[in-house]
Amino acid sequence: MAKYLVILHAPGITLEQFGESAREIVKNEHATFVHAYANLVDGTIVNIYEAENADQVELEMERLGWPFDEIAKIQYETSLADLTANV
């Protein structure tokens, strides 16, 4: 399965509101949630999902009611440990 970045903006979202959506997020009906990064001050949220294709991720975001700005397939990932091993 491929990984996808989902970038969205939800100005004014609170940590409580984010947490309230957890029950629906973990259902993973069309795509599998992996991780989230959020700046709650300006409402920028970046989620990582796994799915067969971007259409499945889009269906999952629509099911959750989250208006997204972009879905992008992750084609490369690395870690500090991986980069350090190559130095």
Side-chain angles (χ1 to χ4, degrees):
M1 250 192 251
K3 287 185 182 177
Y4 293 86
L5 290 171
V6 179
I7 302 167
L8 58 110
H9 292 87
I13 191 169
T14 65
L15 188 55
E16 292 78 21
Q17 289 170 319
F18 200 86
E20 288 170 2
S21 62
R23 181 172 287 146
E24 285 300 314
I25 291 171
V26 299
K27 287 183 180 177
N28 298 318
E29 291 183 14
H30 304 285
T32 303
F33 172 81
V34 176
H35 206 94
Y37 301 91
N39 179 317
L40 298 177
V41 173
D42 69 9
T44 302
I45 302 170
V46 177
N47 294 322
I48 309 291
Y49 276 86
E50 289 182 336
E52 293 296 325
N53 55 57
D55 291 341
Q56 288 181 312
V57 179
E58 185 172 346
L59 284 173
E60 186 68 4
M61 297 309 292
E62 289 172 356
R63 181 187 73 80
L64 293 168
W66 290 96
F68 60 90
D69 297 306
E70 183 177 353
I71 295 174
K73 186 175 183 179
I74 298 173
Q75 297 193 346
Y76 174 77
E77 65 180 286
T78 192
S79 67
L80 178 59
D82 292 340
L83 290 174
T84 303
N86 291 322
V87 175

